[in-house]
Amino acid sequence: MDTADTVGIRAPDTVADPPLRITPLVDPPGLRIEGELDYATLPALTRALVSMASGGSLCVDLSGLAFCDVGGLRALISAAAGMRDGQVLTLCSPSPQVRRLLQLTGWYPKAGLRLQDRSAS
């Protein structure tokens, strides 16, 4: 996945609210989230998702996510629910913890949301 900086396209600046890092992606369009997503870091994710909302389908790369609480997951599900017809929010490389939260909450499967393993293309 290419970040905005590597291809010269202006996208939202990288947000670093330790211990969370959010980097815009260009190919595919979306965000890479690294670190811990919880109550304290949720506002940064919400701002990043809002800034990307009108751009169509999004990929959210979770491969660097060490922790996600239910509030962080709710923000991702809400973003997926707000996608226009035919657009999808893809959670790429969700951890077993994120998959388990989705199962326990009953939030997957939902329209506008897709899960993709790192090994999938």
Side-chain angles (χ1 to χ4, degrees), residues 56-59 80 83-84 86-90 112-114:
S57 292
L58 296 176
C59 170
M83 300 299 282
R84 294 188 180 117
Q87 296 177 343
V88 185
L89 186 137
T90 302
L113 180 66
R114 186 174 75 169

Side-chain angles (χ1 to χ4, degrees), residues 25-107:
L25 302 173
V26 173
D27 187 23
L31 302 169
R32 177 178 295 129
I33 303 173
E34 300 168 286
E36 298 178 4
L37 182 52
D38 58 21
Y39 178 78
T41 59
L42 184 58
L45 175 65
T46 302
R47 286 189 303 270
L49 288 169
V50 166
S51 73
M52 302 288 289
S54 63
S57 292
L58 296 176
C59 170
V60 179
D61 179 357
L62 302 177
S63 61
L65 191 63
F67 175 80
C68 181
D69 71 4
V70 73
L73 190 61
R74 180 180 294 129
L76 294 167
I77 298 303
S78 295
M83 300 299 282
R84 294 188 180 117
D85 288 339
Q87 296 177 343
V88 185
L89 186 137
T90 302
L91 299 180
C92 300
S93 302
S95 69
Q97 180 223 8
V98 168
R99 288 178 178 277
R100 181 76 171 136
L101 276 175
L102 286 166
Q103 179 186 18
L104 290 172
T105 58
W107 289 342

